[in-house]
Amino acid sequence: MTLFEKVKTNVTTLQAAERYGLRVKRGGMCRCPFHNDKNPSMKVDRRFHCFGCQADGDVIDFTAHLYNLKPKEAAEKLARAFSIHYE
């Protein structure tokens, strides 16, 4: 299993969002960190989707966008944060 597969299998975008400081309300809604969001417009669960700016993707996309990382760097960051071992 690749690093990307391991991360996507073991970490949801909801878990990453909460780990990285987003306050997710009941129903999985939160304020989008990718635009000036006054009201919760982003749905996070296994994946994420913002109904305001249309940002969309999986947990690696979310982390890459949040921290301005390349996908591999984002996957490595998630693996460290969630203690996922990979080769």
Side-chain angles (χ1 to χ4, degrees):
M1 190 177 277
T2 68
L3 167 62
F4 292 94
E5 292 168 334
K6 281 193 114 169
V7 168
K8 290 178 189 181
T9 299
N10 290 289
V11 183
T12 66
T13 303
L14 173 61
Q15 291 169 314
E18 289 176 333
R19 169 69 58 100
Y20 298 136
L22 274 71
R23 294 189 347 182
V24 181
K25 298 183 181 221
R26 200 169 80 176
M29 298 298 291
C30 65
R31 289 174 50 190
C32 179
F34 307 132
H35 73 278
N36 188 16
D37 199 4
K38 302 270 188 251
N39 298 303
S41 64
M42 179 180 278
K43 172 80 172 169
V44 291
D45 193 354
R46 190 116 200 105
R47 297 179 52 85
F48 75 97
H49 179 79
C50 178
F51 296 97
C53 69
Q54 302 305 309
D56 185 80
D58 60 32
V59 67
I60 295 171
D61 298 324
F62 176 82
T63 304
H65 198 46
L66 187 64
Y67 289 100
N68 196 28
L69 301 171
K70 293 179 179 166
K72 184 176 182 194
E73 295 169 330
E76 290 168 342
K77 179 175 182 60
L78 287 159
R80 284 189 305 275
F82 289 91
S83 301
I84 297 169
H85 300 285
Y86 63 95
E87 294 183 24

